[in-house]
Amino acid sequence: MSTFTVSSILEKMNNRDKDFRYMAISDLANELQQDSFKSLDADSERKIVAKLLELVITDSSGDIQGLAVKCLGPLAKKVHEDRIEEMVNKLSTQLLEDKKEDLRDICSIGLKTIINEIPSEKQNVCSLVVKKLSPRLVSAIANPNSGLDIQLFSLELLNDLLTRFRSEMTSDHDKIQKALLPQLSSSRSASRKKAITCLGFISLNSSEELFVDLVNFLINSVEKSKKADHIRTFIQCIGAISRAVGFRLGRQMNRVMPLIIKYADHPEFKEDDELRENCFQTFESLILRCPNESVSYLPQVTTLCLKFVKYDPNFNDESDEEGSEMEQDDEDPGDDSEEADDYSDDDDMSWKVRKASSRCIAAIIQTRPELLGQIYKEIAPVLVSRFKEREENVRLDIFQTFISLIKQTAIVSKAGDSLGLVSSLTEMIPKMISPLSKELKNKSGRNIKTRIGIFQLLRELIIVIPGGLSAHIGDLIPGVALALGDKHTSSPLKIETLSFLRLLLSNHPPSVFAPHLSALCPPVFKSVGEAYFKITVESLKVCQELTSVLTPSQGASGDWKNLNKDLYKAVLGKLEVQDIDQEVKEQAISAAGLIVAKLGDELSQESVTFLKILHERLKNEITRLTAVKAFEDIAASTLKIDISTVLPDVIKALASFLRKQDRQLKQASLKTLQVLIKNYGSEKKAVALYDSVLKELSALINDSDLHLSHLSLRVAATILSVNPASGSYIKDLIYSNCLLLLQSSLLQGLALDSMLFLFEEMCNPKVKLSFDFLLSSLLDLANKKDKELSKQSFSCISQCVAVVVANASEQQRNSTVDKFVSDLKKSGTSDSQKLLGLYCIGEIGRRVDLSGVSSLKSVILGAFDSNSEEIKTAASIALGNVAVGNLKKFLPDILTEITQHPKKQYLLLGSLREIIVRQSASSKGVKQLSEFFSPLLDLLFQYTETSEEGTRNVVAECIGKLALVEPDKVIPSLKDRVSSPSKHTRATIMTAVKFTILEKVQLIDSLLQKEIGTFLSFLKDKELAVRRSALLTLNYVAHHKPNILRKYLKEYLPVLYGETKIKPELIREVDLGPFKHKVDDGLELRKAAFECMYTLLDTCIDQIDFSDYTQQVVSGLTDHYDVKMLNNLILARLASRAGASLLSGLDKLIEPLRKILNEKLKEGTVKQQVERNEELKRSALRAIASVNRIPNVNGSQKWADFMKNTVKQADLADKYATIAKEVAESLERFDSDLSQNVEIHN
């Protein structure tokens, strides 16, 4: 702004015409908002500020005063601190000394604007405002002669100051607190509320002494007060403090909680509902933020909650009795509810008490998962009885509280329902359905929110108990039909209803819906035609589920044929339209595909129309992916739909899609091709196109995308299975790519399985690919000098060779094995040929008995003496695999070799591991292995004391897998060695326990459950290696079989937490000459301990004390880089699994997280360290984003400040916004997948 412009604006500001003055201030305001605005010179600043203040204080026009006040904030960012001091002094003087009420109001607004607009990075300006304003405000508040209005204005401004600059005001806390405490007894409720807010802010940063004084004052005041409004205020203040710094208030719990309990049901204040509401709100806050300290008071609090959640003194409802409910059910379902809705009493505040009680119960449910069994017995029935609550706000809270109970049940019972929670919930369903279905049938248009709440509750119920509503479908369908067809229905209700109905249909047997189709289908089909696209989308999703129901085989009766046609018409109406929402298009295509696939026999003519349209949609880039998936459904149909009219074109289109960049499209196309070829591949029209399909497949068979390779190999194998004549195409087009893929070190898993499947199909005599061709092409891979093969490549090639040899004639098989043995004997054979030969012998021997091959064993054992470690390992594996083919022949020899050749023990034990691991995986193998059980076990225990860790690990795995054969003998033997003086034996025993665990249920589980406590004692072992083995085993068991150790966790969790600490005695200094390096031997132990904590959070959440747990996370966030990364993951999971429980320790997490985010690296730091630091920050931001999604998280003022002043500042703000969006989308996908992938009961 030029001097001329300033002069012009000042001149206009002095004009007598108020319009000129208004326009001048408006121009100034616009100029101040411009980024190009330049700082004013000192004289211009002084004149502008002086004139603005004059206009604010003296101008007769309210509009001009208001606009001038708005300029003060932006101006405070631009001017020198002297001018800010002038503004603050002038405005505060007018506020505190002038007697004009309207002037005090405008000056208060001006000061608030300045306080809120000052940039926090200008520390000197912030300190100046605090220094000038705070003492005057405190003085005015403390002065009884100031007047109530001035005190209220001062309290409001002090609240703003504390909100932004309380860290600058710590020296004044004592004076501020002394000034505020008398305001709690003010005659004005507004002053009391502002004082409470200010005291909450002070408690965030006040000294311990000052905080204790505050709490003592509040407690003493409650005890001494006789007036209800004073008691109410003091209790409200305690609640505010608990929400701000609950963990600090926990130390005073033994004084605070009994006091609140006393007044929650005090006989002298029976009619004071506001006091009761404050008590329950304080209960909720204390339970959430001081879960440990409040646990001893939960029985009393629970009793009060159960009493007052039913507290409705102005409404007499006699329907609690079972008989009354039955009588009411026989009446018109709308009568009672409408009568309750018509009831109103403006003075009735009891609903607030019920609402606060319900929320307090929700806090108990969220923070005490270990009490869920008791909650189902005592609290859940009362909640169900309150489903009939007459006040909608309270009713919705009751629903949300019960939803919290259902969600906690899902989390706790995820790893096994040892407490019988799901059974308890299932038993309650009949009592729940009665009031819920009654409310759903209520034709009143005033209960829309209630019905939405009911459908949300029922959705959660289905997710936890799929099929649980089968007996109540008839009770629910009328309410569903009413919600979709009623004229009072809103869009949100329709969407929620359709979403629930889709989940209901997908998770219950189709037969239970058969009697209700005539009532259910018409409103759904009508909803497809709704104008709002979201309703149409949900309706089409329901139509997709209805395709499984509308068939005679599923019990459909009555007019089901016409309903099928109505379904066809409803979907066709959307399928034909081009200019509609993308999501509607996709769902219409999916619905059309399912209609053809499941109802095509009944709608044969209509299916032809659908096929033509779907074929057209394949040509559209936007709809082709969905159309591909639709054709997969059709091709997989058991009805064998006639698709001959479109089959060639569809195959051509799918083949062309394999050239596209869209990976998702390629995956879908490959899956659809496989199903099409499997079910329709023998048709001439399809056979003629196989060469073009194989050409496209060849480009996808490589190690850059193994999943696409797997799908491509499956398609190729399927082509061979239906048309063996395509063998020549396979040989010419894709075989060379298969050989290249076999040489990759990445080939494994599904891709390798599909490769083996393809080779098995190529061995079919009808394919006309000779044995010699296949074998020589595979063996030649080992002779290539231009490429050195990895161990994994040799393994993959040998498995393919084994498939070829196993499918050959006996003569070819014997000659091949003889050649391998002969090559191994020759001195001139290259190492790569020896490696391949050994792997091939092993893989062939695993499939075919090679005991008749002379000198086989001696040749393999001879390879143990090779100078190459790779050849030794291959020989070890080969010997084990050959023994699998004939256990009686080879196993005794291996046991003898182990005892006679100590130098070869490691390799021979490796062979033994191959045998035991493979045999223990099948019932036939277990039976064969049991014949050698005793000598095997005795031999293995001899090697538990060896100092070589690799050997011990092999022995541990062998013992663990052997335990699956004879658990009654192995587990006691392991237990007997727990007290072994050898640390190596103890570590081996613990590792062996880990290998006894399989995902599926085993006989050993019950035995291990009894004895696991003995093995967990190794967590207290004095040796580092033993404790680490114990931690790794604990983590493994917790992940796969948590029920085995659940009852021991209370004892061993403190031990686990002890291993998360940095131990100085485990840190040693290594002298490297020019410099010294510190080595932390406890790092791996801490990582193992935190990994256990991460797993337990998912599988044994009901056994965790979150206060102790969170404390370990706090310390972990200040540890080594790897430990910090782990704890960021833990924090994110903790926020999603037990967010309410995390609130109590939230403030302690802030500083460690802030330190991670603010860490600055030195100049010249290597690129790798920079990348690691950035990844750590991103990891921390993901954790923060998860925490920030916890309901009521902003009740912690420290967290809110951390988000505002650290996370959402500078360059972090954009990163956080991106990551927060990713986290939100990820959680939404998880919730969606959870609802779609729950178990389907057919």
Side-chain angles (χ1 to χ4, degrees):
M1 185 184 288
S2 66
T3 305
F4 174 80
T5 307
V6 170
S7 302
S8 174
I9 285 178
L10 285 170
E11 183 181 346
K12 290 179 182 178
M13 282 182 175
N14 286 309
N15 197 294
R16 296 180 63 184
D17 190 331
K18 67 178 182 179
D19 290 337
F20 276 85
R21 298 198 302 277
Y22 186 90
M23 290 306 298
I25 299 171
S26 178
D27 291 342
L28 176 62
N30 291 333
E31 192 70 28
L32 288 170
Q33 298 297 331
Q34 302 298 321
D35 294 334
S36 58
F37 179 84
K38 295 180 180 179
S39 299
L40 299 169
D41 59 77
D43 188 52
S44 298
E45 273 188 10
R46 182 181 55 77
K47 290 178 181 178
I48 288 286
V49 169
K51 191 60 190 176
L52 269 179
L53 289 173
E54 180 186 336
L55 291 172
V56 168
I57 295 169
T58 63
D59 201 284
S60 59
S61 170
D63 291 340
I64 291 174
Q65 282 182 311
L67 191 58
V69 161
K70 289 181 181 178
C71 284
L72 293 177
L75 191 61
K77 297 179 181 179
K78 314 284 186 180
V79 298
H80 191 266
E81 58 188 76
D82 291 343
R83 302 284 73 78
I84 295 176
E85 181 179 358
E86 180 184 348
M87 287 190 276
V88 170
N89 285 338
K90 195 72 176 281
L91 291 171
S92 60
T93 299
Q94 293 298 322
L95 171 70
L96 301 174
E97 297 178 8
D98 199 288
K99 295 183 179 179
K100 295 180 181 178
E101 185 175 342
D102 54 345
L103 184 58
R104 286 201 299 269
D105 196 15
I106 200 74
C107 289
S108 173
I109 295 171
L111 286 168
K112 285 183 178 182
T113 305
I114 293 169
I115 292 169
N116 291 322
E117 292 284 345
I118 294 173
S120 55
E121 58 268 19
K122 291 186 177 181
Q123 290 293 328
N124 56 332
V125 177
C126 299
S127 300
L128 174 68
V129 172
V130 170
K131 181 180 177 181
K132 292 296 178 183
L133 193 54
S134 178
R136 301 191 70 177
L137 295 176
V138 172
S139 177
I141 294 168
N143 186 355
N145 300 321
S146 295
L148 292 177
D149 287 342
I150 291 176
Q151 286 181 332
L152 182 57
F153 282 126
S154 299
L155 284 166
E156 289 176 350
L157 288 167
L158 182 61
N159 183 54
D160 290 345
L161 273 179
L162 288 167
T163 302
R164 289 213 62 199
F165 311 124
R166 63 178 171 276
S167 58
E168 304 284 335
M169 302 170 69
T170 51
S171 59
D172 297 331
H173 279 177
D174 189 16
K175 296 177 183 177
I176 295 172
Q177 185 166 299
K178 287 179 180 177
L180 289 172
L181 292 179
Q183 293 298 320
L184 294 176
S185 303
S186 171
S187 58
R188 294 183 68 167
S189 62
S191 296
R192 296 197 299 270
K193 288 179 180 178
K194 286 296 177 186
I196 289 171
T197 307
C198 290
L199 286 169
F201 280 125
I202 287 176
S203 63
L204 289 166
N205 301 94
S206 64
S207 65
E208 185 62 26
E209 182 182 357
L210 199 60
F211 181 78
V212 171
D213 288 344
L214 172 59
V215 175
N216 286 337
F217 171 84
L218 293 172
I219 293 172
N220 293 334
S221 297
V222 173
E223 291 174 342
K224 293 176 183 177
S225 296
K226 301 297 181 183
K227 293 183 178 179
D229 57 340
H230 287 180
I231 295 172
R232 191 186 308 129
T233 301
F234 295 131
I235 290 176
Q236 195 173 353
C237 189
I238 293 172
I241 293 170
S242 71
R243 284 187 290 276
V245 283
F247 66 95
R248 296 185 74 181
L249 198 58
R251 299 166 195 161
Q252 307 288 330
M253 190 64 67
N254 61 339
R255 295 186 64 199
V256 173
M257 192 63 98
L259 200 64
I260 311 299
I261 290 172
K262 174 183 174 182
Y263 284 97
D265 193 16
H266 200 288
E268 293 183 19
F269 305 104
K270 284 184 178 180
E271 307 300 322
D272 197 333
D273 291 336
E274 192 175 350
L275 174 59
R276 282 204 186 93
E277 180 194 11
N278 288 335
C279 288
F280 282 106
Q281 287 174 343
T282 306
F283 285 147
E284 178 192 3
S285 179
L286 290 172
I287 290 167
L288 286 173
R289 287 163 179 80
C290 311
N292 270 18
E293 295 85 349
S294 62
V295 67
S296 60
Y297 299 98
L298 287 184
Q300 293 168 274
V301 174
T302 302
T303 301
L304 288 169
C305 288
L306 294 179
K307 176 179 179 180
F308 285 101
V309 79
K310 300 182 288 187
Y311 172 70
D312 198 354
N314 298 321
F315 185 73
N316 184 21
D317 186 2
E318 307 247 339
S319 64
D320 282 343
E321 298 296 327
E322 189 175 331
S324 298
E325 283 187 5
M326 292 173 64
E327 288 172 13
Q328 287 179 359
D329 287 345
D330 294 335
E331 298 170 6
D332 181 3
D335 290 349
D336 286 350
S337 296
E338 288 185 21
E339 184 181 330
D341 288 338
D342 290 339
Y343 173 84
S344 67
D345 186 352
D346 294 337
D347 296 328
D348 179 22
M349 302 297 287
S350 64
W351 66 270
K352 291 187 176 182
V353 178
R354 299 195 299 278
K355 185 182 180 76
S357 300
S358 174
R359 291 194 169 186
C360 188
I361 292 172
I364 295 171
I365 292 169
Q366 292 163 7
T367 56
R368 312 309 309 189
E370 75 278 8
L371 298 179
L372 284 178
Q374 184 180 342
I375 288 170
Y376 269 108
K377 291 178 183 177
E378 299 176 6
I379 297 178
V382 177
L383 289 176
V384 172
S385 73
R386 295 310 303 163
F387 283 176
K388 65 184 186 312
E389 164 68 46
R390 65 184 175 87
E391 184 67 39
E392 188 168 56
N393 281 333
V394 183
R395 195 186 307 139
L396 293 174
D397 263 312
I398 297 285
F399 291 159
Q400 287 304 314
T401 299
F402 206 88
I403 287 173
S404 296
L405 178 58
I406 296 173
K407 287 183 174 180
Q408 283 291 82
T409 301
I411 292 170
V412 172
S413 61
K414 179 179 179 182
D417 191 16
S418 59
L419 299 176
L421 302 179
V422 174
S423 299
S424 299
L425 181 58
T426 304
E427 290 172 5
M428 300 194 70
I429 289 177
K431 294 178 182 177
M432 293 167 58
I433 294 299
S434 178
L436 294 180
S437 61
K438 184 177 178 181
E439 190 65 46
L440 287 175
K441 297 171 190 174
N442 184 359
K443 296 180 180 179
S444 169
R446 289 172 290 178
N447 69 338
I448 287 177
K449 289 182 180 178
T450 295
R451 287 194 275 177
I452 290 175
I454 291 172
F455 285 126
Q456 289 172 343
L457 189 154
L458 292 173
R459 272 173 54 84
E460 295 297 333
L461 192 62
I462 293 171
I463 290 172
V464 178
I465 312 176
L469 299 179
S470 294
H472 308 283
I473 300 298
D475 297 319
L476 296 172
I477 293 301
V480 170
L482 179 64
L484 294 176
D486 187 42
K487 62 181 180 181
H488 298 297
T489 300
S490 64
S491 293
L493 175 56
K494 279 192 176 181
I495 293 170
E496 196 62 51
T497 305
L498 290 164
S499 178
F500 159 73
L501 182 56
R502 175 168 59 89
L503 203 61
L504 187 73
L505 287 164
S506 64
N507 290 282
H508 291 79
S511 56
V512 301
F513 299 98
H516 313 286
L517 290 175
S518 58
L520 181 62
C521 291
V524 173
F525 299 158
K526 185 178 179 182
S527 297
V528 173
E530 288 274 357
Y532 187 32
F533 80 96
K534 287 189 177 181
I535 296 177
T536 304
V537 167
E538 289 298 330
S539 301
L540 288 167
K541 288 179 180 179
V542 174
C543 288
Q544 293 169 36
E545 299 299 336
L546 283 171
T547 58
S548 300
V549 180
L550 287 168
T551 58
S553 62
Q554 298 297 343
S557 56
D559 199 21
W560 61 272
K561 288 190 176 182
N562 287 332
L563 289 175
N564 281 343
K565 291 182 179 179
D566 291 341
L567 172 62
Y568 163 77
K569 292 175 185 177
V571 174
L572 181 65
K574 294 298 178 184
L575 188 64
E576 290 179 323
V577 181
Q578 293 280 13
D579 55 340
I580 53 174
D581 184 84
Q582 173 66 14
E583 201 173 352
V584 175
K585 287 182 185 179
E586 292 175 354
Q587 295 303 327
I589 291 169
S590 298
L594 288 170
I595 289 172
V596 175
K598 296 183 179 182
L599 305 174
D601 54 342
E602 298 296 335
L603 299 172
S604 54
Q605 293 299 319
E606 291 84 349
S607 294
V608 173
T609 304
F610 270 164
L611 286 171
K612 289 180 181 177
I613 297 175
L614 290 174
H615 177 223
E616 288 300 314
R617 297 296 177 265
L618 277 177
K619 301 174 184 177
N620 188 314
E621 186 176 349
I622 296 175
T623 57
R624 64 190 180 191
L625 176 60
T626 313
V628 168
K629 293 178 180 178
F631 272 109
E632 181 184 2
D633 291 332
I634 295 169
S637 171
T638 55
L639 301 178
K640 298 295 180 184
I641 305 298
D642 180 10
I643 59 172
S644 56
T645 56
V646 297
L647 181 61
D649 292 334
V650 170
I651 292 178
K652 288 178 185 176
L654 293 173
S656 70
F657 293 159
L658 301 181
R659 296 194 296 268
K660 305 298 181 183
Q661 292 298 315
D662 187 342
R663 184 174 185 272
Q664 197 177 1
L665 178 63
K666 286 192 279 193
Q667 281 182 302
S669 299
L670 288 166
K671 289 178 182 177
T672 305
L673 273 171
Q674 185 187 351
V675 179
L676 274 172
I677 292 168
K678 182 179 178 181
N679 294 327
Y680 298 91
S682 57
E683 294 186 17
K684 290 183 179 180
K685 293 179 181 179
V687 171
L689 299 171
Y690 287 161
D691 58 338
S692 60
V693 173
L694 289 168
K695 281 180 185 177
E696 302 300 340
L697 291 179
S698 63
L700 299 178
I701 299 175
N702 54 64
D703 62 1
S704 62
D705 191 327
L706 285 178
H707 189 64
L708 288 181
S709 294
H710 146 65
L711 294 172
S712 301
L713 291 166
R714 282 283 166 178
V715 173
T718 306
I719 288 175
L720 272 184
S721 67
V722 299
N723 185 48
S726 299
S728 59
Y729 294 139
I730 295 286
K731 179 180 177 182
D732 296 337
L733 297 173
I734 72 166
Y735 191 68
S736 59
N737 286 37
C738 292
L739 296 179
L740 285 174
L741 182 57
L742 280 170
Q743 298 173 67
S744 170
S745 60
L746 302 176
L747 181 59
Q748 59 184 317
L750 290 173
L752 176 57
D753 292 342
S754 297
M755 181 73 79
L756 297 174
F757 179 52
L758 176 60
F759 268 91
E760 195 160 352
E761 291 297 336
M762 287 192 289
C763 292
N764 185 343
K766 295 180 181 179
V767 175
K768 297 182 180 179
L769 290 175
S770 70
F771 168 79
D772 292 335
F773 165 75
L774 293 173
L775 183 63
S776 60
S777 62
L778 289 169
L779 296 180
D780 286 346
L781 296 177
N783 299 324
K784 291 187 176 181
K785 297 181 179 179
D786 58 335
K787 186 172 183 180
E788 187 174 338
L789 297 180
S790 65
K791 176 183 175 182
Q792 180 64 22
S793 299
F794 281 116
S795 176
C796 295
I797 295 168
S798 66
Q799 289 181 62
C800 292
V801 169
V803 168
V804 173
V805 173
N807 284 278
S809 66
E810 185 176 354
Q811 180 183 356
Q812 291 171 322
R813 187 162 57 239
N814 291 337
S815 63
T816 303
V817 174
D818 289 340
K819 182 180 183 303
F820 286 137
V821 172
S822 175
D823 288 344
L824 288 171
K825 290 179 180 179
K826 292 179 183 177
S827 58
T829 306
S830 66
D831 282 357
S832 60
Q833 288 177 314
K834 286 183 179 179
L835 277 172
L836 184 58
L838 286 166
Y839 277 115
C840 288
I841 287 172
E843 291 296 334
I844 295 169
R846 186 161 61 86
R847 294 168 171 82
V848 181
D849 182 6
L850 297 182
S851 59
V853 178
S854 61
S855 69
L856 177 64
K857 188 185 78 169
S858 61
V859 168
I860 296 176
L861 288 174
F864 281 22
D865 297 323
S866 172
N867 294 325
S868 168
E869 290 298 325
E870 290 184 342
I871 290 178
K872 288 180 181 179
T873 304
S876 174
I877 295 170
L879 182 59
N881 280 333
V882 168
V884 170
N886 190 331
L887 212 59
K888 291 183 178 180
K889 166 69 176 174
F890 291 102
L891 184 55
D893 294 344
I894 292 174
L895 296 178
T896 303
E897 289 289 334
I898 291 175
T899 56
Q900 292 180 355
H901 298 88
K903 292 184 179 180
K904 298 179 181 179
Q905 280 172 358
Y906 178 74
L907 295 172
L908 290 165
L909 286 169
S911 302
L912 200 57
R913 175 177 58 185
E914 287 294 319
I915 296 169
I916 294 173
V917 170
R918 291 191 182 278
Q919 295 294 88
S920 64
S922 66
S923 56
K924 181 182 177 182
V926 166
K927 185 177 180 181
Q928 292 177 346
L929 204 57
S930 61
E931 297 179 27
F932 304 92
F933 174 79
S934 295
L936 273 173
L937 189 61
D938 293 341
L939 177 74
L940 290 169
F941 276 131
Q942 293 177 23
Y943 296 99
T944 58
E945 294 186 23
T946 180
S947 59
E948 175 57 45
E949 185 179 3
T951 302
R952 292 201 310 274
N953 287 337
V954 172
V955 170
E957 186 174 359
C958 290
I959 294 174
K961 296 305 178 185
L962 207 56
L964 300 175
V965 179
E966 296 279 356
D968 293 336
K969 295 179 181 178
V970 177
I971 296 300
S973 298
L974 290 173
K975 185 180 176 183
D976 291 342
R977 289 166 173 79
V978 166
S979 56
S980 170
S982 169
K983 65 178 181 181
H984 297 318
T985 296
R986 299 198 302 274
T988 305
I989 294 306
M990 198 66 215
T991 306
V993 172
K994 181 180 79 170
F995 286 111
T996 64
I997 302 298
L998 296 178
E999 287 191 13
K1000 57 185 180 180
V1001 177
Q1002 300 287 328
L1003 291 174
I1004 196 173
D1005 293 349
S1006 58
L1007 184 60
L1008 198 57
Q1009 189 168 13
K1010 297 175 184 177
E1011 306 295 348
I1012 193 70
T1014 304
F1015 298 117
L1016 289 177
S1017 65
F1018 282 140
L1019 288 168
K1020 302 176 182 178
D1021 200 281
K1022 63 180 180 180
E1023 294 294 339
L1024 196 68
V1026 179
R1027 297 205 304 274
R1028 185 166 183 272
S1029 294
L1031 286 170
L1032 294 174
T1033 301
L1034 174 62
N1035 187 34
Y1036 196 81
V1037 177
H1039 182 74
H1040 293 95
K1041 296 285 176 67
N1043 285 335
I1044 288 177
L1045 51 81
R1046 191 181 295 274
K1047 71 177 183 179
Y1048 300 98
L1049 285 177
K1050 291 294 183 184
E1051 178 184 352
Y1052 287 103
L1053 275 177
V1055 182
L1056 172 65
Y1057 295 156
E1059 296 297 348
T1060 65
K1061 308 300 181 188
I1062 297 175
K1063 298 178 180 178
E1065 66 271 18
L1066 296 179
I1067 300 174
R1068 54 192 170 87
E1069 196 168 67
V1070 180
D1071 192 343
L1072 298 177
F1075 58 91
K1076 293 182 179 179
H1077 176 63
K1078 286 187 176 181
V1079 177
D1080 186 352
D1081 292 328
L1083 176 60
E1084 291 303 317
L1085 204 63
R1086 297 200 301 279
K1087 286 164 63 176
F1090 279 116
E1091 285 169 3
C1092 281
M1093 287 177 56
Y1094 183 73
T1095 302
L1096 290 170
L1097 190 59
D1098 199 38
T1099 59
C1100 298
I1101 193 170
D1102 58 313
Q1103 300 297 312
I1104 293 174
D1105 182 321
F1106 290 104
S1107 178
D1108 293 340
Y1109 188 97
T1110 305
Q1111 188 57 50
Q1112 314 317 313
V1113 177
V1114 171
S1115 65
L1117 289 171
T1118 61
D1119 204 324
H1120 183 270
Y1121 169 84
D1122 292 340
V1123 179
K1124 287 179 183 176
M1125 292 290 288
L1126 258 174
N1127 278 276
N1128 285 331
L1129 290 174
I1130 291 172
L1131 183 55
R1133 177 173 280 187
L1134 183 57
S1136 63
R1137 298 284 195 279
S1141 300
L1142 179 60
L1143 293 177
S1144 62
L1146 196 58
D1147 293 352
K1148 299 175 186 176
L1149 292 163
I1150 292 172
E1151 287 311 314
L1153 289 170
R1154 195 197 311 275
K1155 189 174 180 181
I1156 291 173
L1157 296 178
N1158 291 338
E1159 185 172 358
K1160 305 293 182 185
L1161 298 178
K1162 297 177 182 177
E1163 289 187 19
T1165 303
V1166 295
K1167 182 181 178 182
Q1168 184 183 11
Q1169 186 61 33
V1170 173
E1171 291 174 350
R1172 279 162 59 92
N1173 188 54
E1174 282 303 308
E1175 182 54 39
L1176 180 60
K1177 287 185 179 180
R1178 285 194 293 271
S1179 176
L1181 287 172
R1182 280 191 286 271
I1184 290 166
S1186 298
V1187 172
N1188 210 45
R1189 290 177 60 85
I1190 299 173
N1192 304 318
V1193 70
N1194 287 323
S1196 168
Q1197 190 58 45
K1198 281 191 175 182
W1199 181 264
D1201 291 346
F1202 168 64
M1203 293 298 299
K1204 180 180 178 182
N1205 300 325
T1206 301
V1207 178
K1208 296 182 179 179
Q1209 289 294 319
D1211 59 329
L1212 286 176
D1214 292 337
K1215 290 180 184 177
Y1216 174 75
T1218 303
I1219 288 171
K1221 184 179 178 182
E1222 291 172 0
V1223 169
E1225 291 173 352
S1226 174
L1227 291 173
E1228 286 171 8
R1229 282 197 301 273
F1230 175 78
D1231 291 340
S1232 175
D1233 291 344
L1234 185 64
S1235 63
Q1236 292 178 20
N1237 296 329
V1238 289
E1239 182 183 351
I1240 297 177
H1241 290 239
N1242 293 317

